[in-house]
Amino acid sequence: MEKKLKIAVIGGGSSYTPELIEGFIKKATEVPVSEIYLVDVEQGKEKLEIVGNLARRMVEKAGLDIKINLTLERKEAIDGADFVITQFRVGGIDARIRDEKIPLKYNVIGQETTGPGGFAKALRTIPVILEICKDIEELSPNAWLINFTNPSGIITETALKHSKVKALGLCNVPVNMISHVAKACGVEMERIYIQFAGLNHLVWGLRVYLDGEDITEKLMEQLTSEENMTMKNIPALEWDKDLIKSLGMLPCPYHRYYYMMDKMLEEEKRQSASEGTRGEVVKKVEQELFELYKNPELAEKPPQLERRGGALYSYAACNLISSIVNNKKDIQVVNVKNNGTILDLPENVVIETNCVIDKDGAHPLSIGRVPARIRGLMQVVKAYEELTIEAGVNGDYNAALQALTIHPLVPSTGIAKKILDNILAENRDYLPQFFK
Amino acid sequence: MEKKLKIAVIGGGSSYTPELIEGFIKKATEVPVSEIYLVDVEQGKEKLEIVGNLARRMVEKAGLDIKINLTLERKEAIDGADFVITQFRVGGIDARIRDEKIPLKYNVIGQETTGPGGFAKALRTIPVILEICKDIEELSPNAWLINFTNPSGIITETALKHSKVKALGLCNVPVNMISHVAKACGVEMERIYIQFAGLNHLVWGLRVYLDGEDITEKLMEQLTSEENMTMKNIPALEWDKDLIKSLGMLPCPYHRYYYMMDKMLEEEKRQSASEGTRGEVVKKVEQELFELYKNPELAEKPPQLERRGGALYSYAACNLISSIVNNKKDIQVVNVKNNGTILDLPENVVIETNCVIDKDGAHPLSIGRVPARIRGLMQVVKAYEELTIEAGVNGDYNAALQALTIHPLVPSTGIAKKILDNILAENRDYLPQFFK
Amino acid sequence: MEKKLKIAVIGGGSSYTPELIEGFIKKATEVPVSEIYLVDVEQGKEKLEIVGNLARRMVEKAGLDIKINLTLERKEAIDGADFVITQFRVGGIDARIRDEKIPLKYNVIGQETTGPGGFAKALRTIPVILEICKDIEELSPNAWLINFTNPSGIITETALKHSKVKALGLCNVPVNMISHVAKACGVEMERIYIQFAGLNHLVWGLRVYLDGEDITEKLMEQLTSEENMTMKNIPALEWDKDLIKSLGMLPCPYHRYYYMMDKMLEEEKRQSASEGTRGEVVKKVEQELFELYKNPELAEKPPQLERRGGALYSYAACNLISSIVNNKKDIQVVNVKNNGTILDLPENVVIETNCVIDKDGAHPLSIGRVPARIRGLMQVVKAYEELTIEAGVNGDYNAALQALTIHPLVPSTGIAKKILDNILAENRDYLPQFFK
Amino acid sequence: MEKKLKIAVIGGGSSYTPELIEGFIKKATEVPVSEIYLVDVEQGKEKLEIVGNLARRMVEKAGLDIKINLTLERKEAIDGADFVITQFRVGGIDARIRDEKIPLKYNVIGQETTGPGGFAKALRTIPVILEICKDIEELSPNAWLINFTNPSGIITETALKHSKVKALGLCNVPVNMISHVAKACGVEMERIYIQFAGLNHLVWGLRVYLDGEDITEKLMEQLTSEENMTMKNIPALEWDKDLIKSLGMLPCPYHRYYYMMDKMLEEEKRQSASEGTRGEVVKKVEQELFELYKNPELAEKPPQLERRGGALYSYAACNLISSIVNNKKDIQVVNVKNNGTILDLPENVVIETNCVIDKDGAHPLSIGRVPARIRGLMQVVKAYEELTIEAGVNGDYNAALQALTIHPLVPSTGIAKKILDNILAENRDYLPQFFK
C-alpha cells in the first residue's frame, strides 16, 4: 500500500491522546500514517500543547515519520483527512461533574453516559457533531468518522441520521469484556469470541465462545463468583449472582446501573460524599497526568494513564482503522446502522454488534430476534436515545422531557422535569438549540 | 335470530355479577339468553348463593325467561356454552391484599394488576385459565371466551398462546376513557372516538375524535386542568400537566404508576397506613355489598356497587357479545392477538386496540408504528408480560425473576428477588407450577 | 349537517359521468352537494358539453339544487373543492387501443390496466396526477382525492408518495365481486362480506361470509361451476376449476390474465382480429352513448351505459364520499397506504383492502401475513408497480425496462425492450418525463 | 487439532466423487480425515464400486491414511459421522432426463433445478432427505449436513424446517461467479469479493469488489461485452446487454431462464432435437467417465470430469468444512436460514448469501431490504419453493398445483396441471407421499 494517511483527532488535547498515539506507533507497519492533526478548542489550548509535544516525542522515539500538527482550526484538520477521530468533550471535565451531580440531587443515577448525565452530555455534543459532519461532507466526503465521543451510540446515530458522513461508533466496552472473559478463562484474547447485541453501554454478550466452542453456560457459573468484570469508570460492585443466573448471558458493566440500580445509587452517593464523583476523581487524575506529560524526558504513554479508564481504547481504534485500510474482513464490535440486523429495533437506529470490517466499512452479522429477557430494556433505552437525538437536534423541550421520562432510571415525569430544567439552566452556554 | 344463548360465568359469585346481569337484562332484545351458569369454587359457595339469588330476582323483576344456574362444577357450566365469561379471582380478596402489600415492603408500587402485584395475580391465574381452556376445547370448542380476569392482557395471551380457544380480553378502562372524554366535552359517549393502541392497563389514546373531527390537541390542553380522568381503583392524583403536554396523547389511568411513580408510591403508602390498601377498602365494600345483596327485596343492581369500581363493565361485555351475536361490525376496544397490527411488537402477543366486531370475532384496525414516546414503555412491559406467561406456564423461576427485573417499577434484580421469593412463599397453595 | 359540498370531476367529459351524477342524485339526502365542476381538456370539449348538459337535465329532473359547471380550467374546479374525483384518461380511447395492440404484437397480453398496456397508461397518467396533486396542495389542501383513473393502485401510490394530498383509490372490482357472490348465493349484497387483500386489479377474497358465517369453502365448490364472476372489460372465459380448487380463495376477474394467461392471450388475439380489441369495441359504444346523450329529452342515465363496463362505479364512489362526509365507520374496499396492514409488502406502498371509512379517511383492517399461494404474485406485481412509478415520475428508462422485465406477463428483457421502445415512440406526446 | 474426522457421502457413487476426494486430498493438512464412507443405493452399486476404487487409488497415491468405505447401508455411514455430504440423485440420470423433457412438451423450460424440472426433482428428493435427517438426529446429532443435492435451497430448507439437523446448503454457482469475475478482471479469485443475496440458483451479486474497492458499475459495462459468465449446465447464450445495464447488478447464470426465457426455451428445444437435453448429454459424459474411472492405472481426477459441470464443487465443499473444523471465521456463500437477513423474505426460509463460517456454523451478514428490481422475482420464487416443500412433505396435490402455477416460467394453471399430472405419473415410484 502506497498512500499515506492523514488522521484528524477532534479533542486532540485529551489526556487519552498518548494512548491513541501509542496505538498508531504499534500499528505503524500496517497503518501508514503521514500526519496526525490534533484539534482542540481555545480553552484546551494549553493541554493541546502539552499532549501534542508528548505525542511528538513519542513518534520521534519510535523513529517514525509521522508529522504531529496542533491546531485550533477544525476545518484545517478535516480537510482531506482519511480518518476523523472524535474524542472531544464539550464543556470539559467540569461539565461532566455537573452531569453527575444534577441527577444525584434527585436520587437518580448520575453518570456521564447512562441516564440523565449521558442525556445532558448528548445535548451538548449533538450541535458540535453536526458541525463536524458538515465540515466532513464539505472538505473530505470520503473520510471515515470514527466516533469515540460519548454517548457514542447516540452521537453516531445523530451523524448517520443527519448527515451523509460514513460514521462508525466505537467503544472500549466490548473489547474489555472480551479481555475480561479471556482473563477469567486464562487464555489469550484472540481465542475468545463473543456474539454481542445491543446498544452502546447497553450491550449483551449473547453467546461466548472459546476456540469456537460455546462456553456461555460454563462462564455464567464462573461469573457469579468472579468480581472483576467491570470498567474503571464504574463503581466495582460485585455482580448480582441471581441476575447473571436468570439472565443466562453476559451483561456489560454499565448494565449495573439498570439491574442493580439501588445499590449503584447508594454507592454513587457514598462516593460523591467522600472522594467525590468519578468526574471529580478523574479531574485530579488528569491534572496529575498533564503534569507528567509536561516532562520533556517522557516519550511514551505513562502507566498512570491506566487509572484514567480508557483501557484498550487505542487497541479498538487502531484495529478498526487497520481493518478498513487493509480490507481485512475480520470481525470487530462497532456501532452501526441497524438496518434489520436486530429485528426488534427500528431499521434506522444505531446498534452495537459484531461486524465484518473491510474497506467498505462495517457489515453487521445478522442477529434476528433477541430473547425477551433483554429485548424490552434494549427497546426502551433505544426509544430514549431517539427522543434525545430529536431533542438535541431540534431543541425540542417536549421531546427532551419525554426522553428523560421514559428512561428506566428516572422515576417520573415530575423528577424528569426537575432534572431537565436543571440541566438546561446549567448548560445554557452549550445548548444553542434550546436558547435560540 | 332464533338460537337462545347459554352463558357461563366463571367466578359467578363475584360482587360484580349484578352489574353483568343488569347488562344482559338491558340487552335482552338483541342478545337472547336462555340460561346463565354462575360457577364458583367451594370457598365462594356462600357468595355464589347470595349473588345468584339476587340475579334470579333481577331477572324475574325484568320479566325475562332466563334461567340462572348456580354450580361448583365448571365443566357443567362450560358444556355447550356459547360464551364463557371469566371474572374469577384466584385466592380471593385476601390474595389481592397480599399482592398489594408485598411490594410496598420494598418501596415498590403494590397494585393488583400493574407491577409485582399483577405479576403475582398472573402466576396464580395462569394454571386456572389453562384448565378452563382445556374444558372449553373439550366441551364447547366454538364458545367465545370473554376474559375479564386481570391482568386481562396476560391472561388472554396465555389462552391464545397455549390453547385453541377463541379468546377475547376485555377491560373497562378504554370505555371509561371514552366516557370521561365525553364528559369533559359535554357530549354523549357515542360522539367520541378514540384510536387506542397499547396493552391492557397500558393503553394510550393516540388520537381523539369528536363527531369525526380530531380534537386531540384541544383535549390535551383541557386535560391539564381536568382532574377526574381516573378509575376507582387508582388513587385520584391529578395528572402531571407536563406529562400530558409533552406526551401529546391520552394516557390511561394506570399510566400514573409509570409516569408518576414517586407520587403514586407515596400515596399508596399513605393510604395503606391510614384506610388500608385498595384491597382492604374493597374488602369492606364487598362485605357491605353482600349484606345488601342478601336483602330479598332487592331486585336490581344497588347503586353502592359503583363504589366497587367496575364502572361500565357490563356495558363493555354485553356490547361485545351483542356485536358477535348480531354480526354488527361496529368498533370496540378488545385485547386481541397483535398479528402485525402494531409493528413494534411481536406478532403473537396480545394488544389492546380498536377492533371491528362481528360473528367471526375481533378484527383489529391496522396501527403501523407508534411514536417513540410510547413505544419503549409498551415494549418493555410487553417483554415483562411474555416472561410472566413463560414463568406462569412452566413454573420457571429464572423467567419469573427476569420478568420482575425488567419491570419498569422494580429498581433492581435484588429487590425483584426479594419480592419474588415473598410472592412464592405467600402464594404456595396457588402456584402448583412452582412447587411440583 | 349544514355545509354543502363542492365536487370537482377531472375527466368530467367521460361517458361514465351520467353514472356518477345518478349516484349523487340517489345519495342527495345524505351527501348534500351544491356544485359539481366537470373538467376536461381542450380535445374533450365537445363531449364535456354533451355530457354536462345531460347532467344538468338529470339534476333538474331530480328536482335538486346542484349547479353543474363545465370548465377547461382545472384549477378553477379544484379551488375550494371538498372532493376531487379523477376519472380522466390521458390520450383518450385511441391511446388505450394502442396500449392494447402494442403488446399483442409480441404475443403478450394487451390490456388497459394489466401488463404492458397498464404500464403505458401509468406512464402517461403519472405526470398529470402529479400536477393535479400540486393544484390540490395549493388550492384545496383538505380536499379528498378520490382516484378512479387506472391503473388505480399505481396512480394512488404516486399521489401518496409524491404529494401530501389525502388520496384514496377506488375501483369497482371488489364491489362487483361482492355483487356476483351475492347473486351466486341468491341474497342481497349487504349480507355478503369479503375479506379482501391484494393490489388493485389483483385482489383476492381471502374469506367470504354470508351473514357473518364463513362460506368460503362452500363458495369455492360452487364457483367451479359458475361462469359469470367477471367484468365487462374482460373476455368472459370460465374460471379454471383446478385453479379455484387449489387456490382455496376468491380470485378477482383480472387474475385470469395471470392464472389463465395462455387462454386469455389466445382469446384477445381472436377478438382483436374479429370485433377488435376491447378498446375498439368501447370506442363504438362510446360514440353511440354520446349520440344518446345528445338527446335533449334524455334526463337519466341510459341503460346502454351498462355495456360500457363501469358497473357499480358510482355506487362505490358515492358510498365512499357519504361515509367520509357522515363519519359512518362502515367498511369499504379502498386503495390505501399499506403501513403494515399486509406484512408481506413494504410499508409505503398502496394496497387494496377492507377499510373502516370515516371523516378521517380510510383505516385498513389488519391482515398480517397472507398465504404463500398468493404472496409471491402479489409481491412481484407490487415490485413492478413501484418500478413503474419510479420510471413514470423520473422518466427513468432503466427502471421502466426492469418494471416490464419483472412483470409476470412479459417473457424476457428482450421482449420488454421491444414493447417499451414501442410504447415510448407511440406515446411521445404524453411522456414529457422521458423526452426532456 | 487431534480429532480425526469421519465423512459420510450420500450418493457416493456419483461421477463427482473424484472431485470431492481430490478436495480432501488437497486440504489434508487442515482437514484431518480418517475415514470416508461412500454410500449409494442398490441400483448404484456398480458405480459405487468403480468410483470407490478410484478414490482408494487417489488417496493411496497421495500417501494419505484415509480409509474409503463403500456401503449400501446409510445408517452405518451416518453413525458417528462429523460431516454428512449429500450429493445423491433420486432416480438417477434417467429421472433427470424426464424432468427436462416433460415441461418442454408444453413449451415450458425443462431444466433440472429451475422450473418444473427442479420441482419434480424436489418432490423425489424430499422424502429421502427427511429420512437422512432422521438418521442423523438418531445416530449423529452433532453432525453437519452439507447438502449439495439440488434444488439445494429447497432441500436445505426442508431439512431445517422439518428436522433438528444442522444443515448447510452449498452450490458451486457463487464461487464460479467469483471465479468468472476474477478472470474478467485478470486477477486471482481471492481479490474479488461479491455481496450475494437471493436464493439458490437465483442469487444476485449486489455489489462486486476488487481489493475492497467497489467495481460494480465498471464491471456491468464490461459484462455487456463478456460472454462466458455461465455454467456448463446452461446453454451459453450471451447475456442480454439491456438486462445487465438496467439491472445494475450481477445476475447468476440461472437467471437466464427468467430474464431471457424465450431465447432459452428456443435453445433448449433446438438442443433437445439435436444433441439431446443436457441430461442426455451428461448421461453419455458419465458413461465415458465411468469407463475412465475403471482404469486401474488412474489415480487422480481425470480432466474430462470438467465437461460434467461441477466446477469448483469440492473447492466450495472442502473450504466450508475446513472453516468449520478450524473455526476460521472467513466469509463463504452458503444456503442458510434467513432469520431476518433479507427483510423482504420470511424469517424461516433458506436464502443464499455471504456468511461468516466458524465452528458454530454459518452466520449471515445482514442485508436489509433489497432493491425492487430483484425483490419481486426473489419473493415469487421463494413462495414457489415454500409451496413445493409443503407439497413434497405432505403429498399435497393442491399445494403442488399452486407451486407450479405461481412459478414465473409456467404460463397458467392449465399448463401447470398438465405438467404436474405428467410428473406424478412418470415418477410414481419415487413419490410415496403422493401415492399413499
Side-chain angles (χ1 to χ4, degrees), chain B residues 10 19 27 107 132 145 147 149 197 210 212 273 296-297 313 343 367 377 398-399 421:
Chain B
I10 318 290
E19 161 88 11
K27 287 275 178 191
N107 257 317
I132 292 171
L145 170 61
N147 178 60
T149 291
L210 168 59
E297 305 300 309
Y313 161 41
L343 292 174
I367 298 278
L377 180 53
N398 286 334
D421 290 344

Side-chain angles (χ1 to χ4, degrees), chain A residues 314-327:
Chain A
S314 74
Y315 175 91
C318 294
N319 273 356
L320 179 62
I321 290 172
S322 176
S323 291
I324 293 173
V325 169
N326 298 297
N327 196 36

Side-chain angles (χ1 to χ4, degrees), chain D residues 142-325:
Chain D
N142 287 319
W144 289 98
L145 170 61
I146 309 289
N147 177 61
F148 253 106
T149 292
N150 272 327
S152 183
I154 291 177
I155 301 310
T156 307
E157 186 167 319
T158 303
L160 288 174
K161 278 182 170 168
H162 296 280
S163 84
K164 292 176 177 169
V165 169
K166 300 188 297 182
L168 296 172
L170 256 189
C171 181
N172 63 341
V173 163
V175 79
N176 273 284
M177 288 170 73
I178 294 171
S179 165
H180 279 106
V181 169
K183 276 179 203 152
C185 296
V187 303
E188 295 298 299
M189 268 179 80
E190 288 63 32
R191 295 175 59 192
I192 296 297
Y193 180 77
I194 304 181
Q195 186 194 28
F196 287 101
L199 314 182
N200 180 241
H201 286 199
L202 194 82
V203 73
W204 287 267
L206 302 185
R207 310 301 301 163
V208 181
Y209 301 86
L210 169 58
D211 296 333
E213 300 290 348
D214 190 327
I215 58 163
T216 318
E217 279 177 53
K218 221 183 308 173
L219 185 72
M220 291 303 103
E221 285 165 33
Q222 207 173 329
L223 251 187
T224 55
S225 53
E226 178 73 26
E227 81 182 280
N228 60 350
M229 170 62 63
T230 190
M231 309 285 288
K232 268 284 171 299
N233 281 340
I234 299 179
L237 294 179
E238 269 197 42
W239 271 109
D240 185 311
K241 294 179 190 184
D242 299 303
L243 181 265
I244 301 290
K245 206 182 154 206
S246 60
L247 185 61
M249 59 187 84
L250 202 63
C252 84
Y254 288 83
H255 275 116
R256 280 199 179 78
Y257 292 113
Y258 299 95
Y259 291 136
M260 303 168 62
M261 197 258 270
D262 43 359
K263 283 191 187 161
M264 292 298 276
L265 181 58
E266 218 175 281
E267 176 66 11
E268 276 197 344
K269 284 155 75 176
R270 193 199 55 71
Q271 283 190 2
S272 176
S274 53
E275 68 263 42
T277 68
R278 176 72 193 158
E280 289 171 311
V281 173
V282 160
K283 190 172 179 177
K284 280 180 223 148
V285 172
E286 292 235 319
Q287 282 161 350
E288 290 163 25
L289 279 173
F290 276 95
E291 282 311 308
L292 287 171
Y293 290 0
K294 280 181 190 164
N295 179 358
E297 304 301 311
L298 185 72
E300 57 189 5
K301 187 186 79 177
Q304 293 89 334
L305 179 50
E306 281 191 18
R307 291 169 46 214
R308 174 66 186 83
L312 295 173
Y313 161 42
S314 75
Y315 176 91
C318 293
N319 273 356
L320 179 61
I321 290 171
S322 176
S323 291
I324 293 174
V325 168

Side-chain angles (χ1 to χ4, degrees), chain D residues 335-350:
Chain D
N335 285 266
V336 287
K337 191 177 166 188
N338 180 29
N339 196 29
T341 301
I342 298 177
L343 292 174
D344 309 291
L345 291 176
E347 293 175 35
N348 69 336
V349 302
V350 160

